[in-house]
Amino acid sequence: MVAALGIVALAVVAAVVRPGVTAPPPQACPAIGYSSVLTVTLEGDTTEVAVLQVRDGDQWQPPYPPDAQVPAIPTSHDGDTWTFTLFSAPRSVQLRVLDDDGDLLARTEVDVGWVRVGGTAECGGPTEAEVAWVL
C-alpha cells in the first residue's frame, strides 16, 4: 500500500514538474500610444457657438483663435457635432463653448464612458466615447 502511494506521488510530481512544459509566455504588447476619439454633440440653442473646446492638460483645444505656436489636437465638426482625437482617455473632461469673439458662452465637466474599439484587454487599444451637452 505504501509503495502504491509512493508511485502515485512520484507520478503527480513528475507531471507537475515535467521538463518541456512551461507556463505560456507573457503577452507582448506593442509600444503604441493609442488615441481616444471623443464625439460631443451640442443640443439646445447653438446659434452663437463658434467653437467647442476640450481641456487637454493645461490647454484648451483647439486653440481659439488658432495659434501656430500652440500644437493643436486633431479636431473636426459637422454641424453641432464635434470630434476630438485625444491621446489619453480621462474619466471626465472639461468642455467649453466660445462665440466668434472668443467670449465664453458656457462651460461644463462631464464623465466619459470610454469603450475600447480595438486592441486587446491585456494590451489596451484605441477607445471612443460620445457625449451630449445641452446648452
Side-chain angles (χ1 to χ4, degrees), residues 3 14 22 24 39 51 62 65 76 89-90 97-98 100 104 108 111 117 121 124 126 132:
T22 59
T39 302
V51 67
S76 65
V97 288
L98 307 174
D100 285 325
L104 180 65
T108 191
D111 288 335
V117 294

Side-chain angles (χ1 to χ4, degrees), residues 114-131:
W114 297 99
V115 176
R116 186 174 42 81
V117 294
T120 64
E122 297 81 17
C123 294
T127 58
E128 292 181 352
E130 293 184 14
V131 172

Side-chain angles (χ1 to χ4, degrees), residues 12-40:
V12 169
V13 169
V16 171
V17 295
R18 186 175 69 195
V21 176
T22 59
Q27 176 73 33
C29 297
I32 294 176
Y34 295 108
S35 62
S36 300
V37 176
L38 174 64
T39 302
V40 180

Side-chain angles (χ1 to χ4, degrees), residues 12 18 22 24-25 30 41 51 67 72 77 85 88 106-107 109 128 134:
V12 169
R18 186 175 69 195
T22 59
T41 302
V51 67
D67 182 349
H77 76 96
T85 301
S88 65
R107 181 176 174 168
E109 185 168 345
E128 292 181 352
V134 180

Side-chain angles (χ1 to χ4, degrees), residues 55-60:
R55 186 81 172 181
D56 184 37
D58 295 334
Q59 304 281 331
W60 285 101

Side-chain angles (χ1 to χ4, degrees), residues 9-102:
L10 285 174
V12 169
V13 169
V16 171
V17 295
R18 186 175 69 195
V21 176
T22 59
Q27 176 73 33
C29 297
I32 294 176
Y34 295 108
S35 62
S36 300
V37 176
L38 174 64
T39 302
V40 180
T41 302
L42 300 178
E43 299 175 356
D45 184 7
T46 62
T47 55
E48 293 185 45
V49 174
V51 67
L52 170 66
Q53 293 180 306
V54 64
R55 186 81 172 181
D56 184 37
D58 295 334
Q59 304 281 331
W60 285 101
Q61 292 285 339
Y64 190 79
D67 182 349
Q69 302 301 315
V70 178
I73 62 170
T75 305
S76 65
H77 76 96
D78 181 17
D80 290 334
T81 300
W82 299 72
T83 304
F84 303 92
T85 301
L86 307 173
F87 295 100
S88 65
R91 198 181 113 223
S92 66
V93 294
Q94 295 180 45
L95 303 169
R96 72 179 185 179
V97 288
L98 307 174
D99 66 12
D100 285 325
D101 296 324

